[in-house]
């Protein structure tokens, strides 16, 4: 428990640095641009998007506190720029929670495939399957249990795909030295 408290304290300290805020701003711009142009739709329910990659990079570089704040702020910014459907604070809560989870799993740790798969699995189970299904149920008045099978299928398909994409991109960023230069910038 003490290690988790230290992790959150260190991440909170990251938030006070100007370079952190600057890099987060750049990552937010990249995420907004990617959400506008980069996604692959497979059928009616499966969508492979790349706009979440900058979020995961912020979680990795700056930890759960910065990642959670970044995720929540970016969710609102994306909605203001390109609203799709009605705004619901539950989805913003999910974005914050996902940043906290990813940041807790990856901050100051190597980005290995098992670590990414585990972090993504926790996010899928807690945020995507439980909370998102609950929010959709509340918003549209549909039964939680009726929505659950399709959401389980979608997330079971997307879990390894999203994890593999994040792993390959993070390895490429490590290889090119981008992570090292961003970490040295701190």
């Amino acid at each position: 428990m003490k290690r988790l408290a230290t992790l959150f304290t260190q991440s909170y300290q990251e938030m006070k640095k100007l370079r952190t805020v600057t890099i987060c701003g750049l990552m937010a711009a990249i995420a907004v641009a990617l959400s506008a142009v980069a996604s692959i739709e497979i059928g009616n329910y499966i969508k492979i998007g790349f706009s979440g990659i900058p979020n995961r990079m912020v979680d990795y570089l700056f930890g759960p506190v910065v990642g959670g704040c970044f995720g929540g702020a970016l969710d609102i910014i994306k909605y203001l720029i390109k609203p799709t459907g009605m705004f619901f604070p539950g989805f913003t809560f999910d974005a914050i929670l996902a940043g906290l989870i990813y940041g807790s799993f990856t901050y100051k740790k190597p980005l290995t495939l098992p670590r990414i798969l585990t972090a993504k699995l926790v996010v899928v189970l807690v945020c995507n399957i439980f909370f998102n299904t609950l929010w959709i149920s509340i918003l549209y008045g549909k039964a939680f249990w009726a929505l659950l099978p399709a959401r389980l299928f979608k997330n079971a398909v997307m879990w390894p795909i999203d994890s593999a994409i994040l792993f390959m991109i993070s390895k490429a960023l490590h290889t090119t030295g981008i992570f090292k230069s961003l970490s040295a910038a701190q």
Side-chain angles (χ1 to χ4, degrees):
M1 191 64 161
K2 184 175 179 167
R3 287 166 60 190
L4 190 61
T6 303
L7 185 77
F8 274 76
T9 302
Q10 290 173 343
S11 179
Y12 176 73
Q13 295 303 321
E14 296 280 1
M15 190 178 280
K16 296 178 180 182
K17 298 176 183 175
L18 180 60
R19 288 187 187 264
T20 300
V21 175
T22 304
I23 292 168
C24 286
L26 292 171
M27 291 294 181
I30 293 168
V32 168
L34 286 174
S35 70
V37 296
S39 66
I40 301 166
E41 293 192 28
I42 303 170
N44 293 333
Y45 302 105
I46 307 282
K47 179 180 173 185
I48 300 172
F50 301 97
S51 66
I53 300 295
N55 292 59
R56 305 299 70 93
M57 299 303 113
V58 167
D59 303 337
Y60 168 68
L61 290 169
F62 307 117
V65 174
V66 177
C69 292
F70 180 80
L74 190 58
D75 182 71
I76 293 168
I77 290 167
K78 283 182 182 178
Y79 181 79
L80 292 173
I81 290 172
K82 186 181 177 187
T84 53
M86 65 171 28
F87 179 78
F88 186 72
F91 296 122
T92 304
F93 169 78
D94 286 345
I96 294 168
L97 187 57
L100 289 170
I101 293 168
Y102 273 112
S104 297
F105 273 87
T106 61
Y107 182 52
K108 296 194 175 196
K109 297 175 184 121
L111 279 178
T112 62
L113 186 57
R115 184 179 309 282
I116 291 171
L117 281 165
T118 305
K120 180 66 179 173
L121 180 62
V122 173
V123 169
V124 161
L125 292 173
V126 175
C127 298
N128 299 359
I129 292 175
F130 179 72
F131 281 118
N132 277 355
T133 307
L134 178 63
W135 308 143
I136 292 168
S137 173
I138 290 169
L139 275 172
Y140 299 107
K142 297 192 179 196
F144 179 90
W145 296 107
L147 294 168
L148 195 59
R151 305 233 357 111
L152 281 168
F153 174 75
K154 173 192 172 195
N155 283 284
V157 169
M158 292 307 300
W159 169 53
I161 294 170
D162 287 342
S163 298
I165 290 169
L166 178 58
F167 178 71
M168 288 185 292
I169 290 173
S170 67
K171 280 298 170 195
L173 292 173
H174 268 291
T175 302
T176 59
I178 291 174
F179 278 148
K180 187 177 181 180
S181 66
L182 291 176
S183 296
Q186 299 174 16

